[in-house]
Amino acid sequence: MAFKVKDHFFHKAKSENYLARSVYKLSEINDRFQILKPGQLVLDLGYHPGSWSQYASEMVGNEGLVVGIDLYPINEKLVPVKNIRLFEKDIFDLKGPQDLNVDQKFDIVLSDMAPNTSGIKTVDQLKSLSLVESIFELLPKLLIPKGHLLIKVFESQGAQDFLKQQKKLFKEFHYLRPEATRKTSKEYFVIGKGYSG
Ligand SMILES: C[S@@+](CC[C@H](N)C(=O)[O-])C[C@H]1O[C@@H](n2cnc3c(N)ncnc32)[C@H](O)[C@@H]1O
């Protein structure tokens, strides 16, 4: 499990009642690319503990819905939130929206998923890449045409090559390392806007 960085963002998250400091990665990305809008149906892959779901739920409002999946048991702290629905589920077992009691595709797919790391660089890069690949494999079933995608990726040549091939699926494709990303981290985020469907 990743160690907790008790920096400015950690304390800010605590004081603003967010469940993790990673909320500031999503908020920075959203401020720049405006992907979250009121009324949207959002899928949050690897939601636990749930700061992205909290933020997305505020952005989509009462008319919207955030559906989160994670390997961890459901975070009870989020159960009272009316526009968040959570599932204990592995992305590799997900077939489509019907598994999440949703009868339509999502307006936006978010993924902050990170594999349990082994410390062996090449193994961890492959694990991370297979999470990214699984998302793209499911996209035709999950994302509406013109929808948006935001995913976390760990740096590797394999990931770079894979993403280059996927770029054409979106009208706009951006790479970003938000300010809240730890200096030592090898992660970055990919934002795809306007899915060709
Ligand atoms: C960095 S945390 C997400 C933090 C979250 N975005 C937040 O703001 O609270 C990464 C999560 O990805 C989840 N994850 C990793 N592999 C997964 C998989 N195969 N299916 C679903 N979730 C997965 C982990 O269990 C972990 O909770």
Side-chain angles (χ1 to χ4, degrees):
M1 193 193 232
F3 68 97
K4 261 191 179 164
V5 186
K6 294 194 174 170
D7 62 358
H8 157 72
F9 291 110
F10 171 87
H11 294 291
K12 191 167 188 250
K14 241 183 150 42
S15 73
E16 293 180 350
N17 290 319
Y18 286 114
L19 291 162
R21 67 190 285 294
S22 29
V23 68
Y24 302 110
K25 300 175 192 172
L26 177 59
S27 66
E28 180 183 334
I29 292 166
N30 194 46
D31 287 347
R32 282 188 63 167
F33 297 105
Q34 283 153 18
I35 46 179
L36 290 161
K37 302 257 160 61
Q40 281 174 334
L41 179 60
V42 179
L43 178 59
D44 184 7
L45 299 166
Y47 80 83
H48 199 279
S51 76
W52 279 29
S53 286
Q54 287 178 297
Y55 181 84
S57 115
E58 289 162 18
M59 292 297 123
V60 303
N62 292 335
E63 304 298 310
L65 178 68
V66 180
V67 180
I69 72 161
D70 203 286
L71 299 174
Y72 282 111
I74 286 166
N75 188 345
E76 297 294 333
K77 287 185 189 156
L78 292 177
V79 170
V81 185
K82 284 210 164 58
N83 65 351
I84 297 181
R85 190 188 292 168
L86 302 175
F87 293 83
E88 181 179 340
K89 203 166 193 49
D90 190 326
I91 178 91
F92 295 108
D93 295 331
L94 184 63
K95 305 269 177 312
Q98 70 283 359
D99 289 354
L100 307 170
N101 300 337
V102 170
D103 58 8
Q104 54 186 309
K105 293 183 188 180
F106 294 88
D107 298 302
I108 168 157
V109 174
L110 310 174
S111 168
D112 193 22
M113 283 190 297
N116 272 332
T117 47
S118 66
I120 304 165
K121 195 172 155 193
T122 47
V123 173
D124 295 338
Q125 285 175 339
L126 281 175
K127 279 197 202 168
S128 165
L129 179 56
S130 74
L131 286 174
V132 171
E133 286 171 342
S134 71
I135 299 169
F136 278 92
E137 208 170 291
L138 282 167
L139 266 196
K141 287 184 186 147
L142 294 180
L143 189 61
I144 60 159
K146 298 197 176 141
H148 307 322
L149 174 71
L150 162 61
I151 51 171
K152 175 157 80 186
V153 180
F154 286 93
E155 278 172 25
S156 73
Q157 189 60 50
Q160 219 177 68
D161 295 343
F162 178 76
L163 289 166
K164 239 185 229 163
Q165 292 164 20
Q166 310 306 316
K167 208 173 156 175
K168 56 180 179 298
L169 295 173
F170 290 88
K171 197 166 164 228
E172 291 175 37
F173 210 67
H174 306 274
Y175 299 87
L176 185 83
R177 245 179 92 86
E179 229 190 282
T181 305
R182 284 183 282 131
K183 298 288 169 278
T184 51
S185 169
K186 296 283 179 221
E187 75 185 30
Y188 62 95
F189 289 83
V190 172
I191 302 105
K193 287 187 82 174
Y195 181 52
S196 58

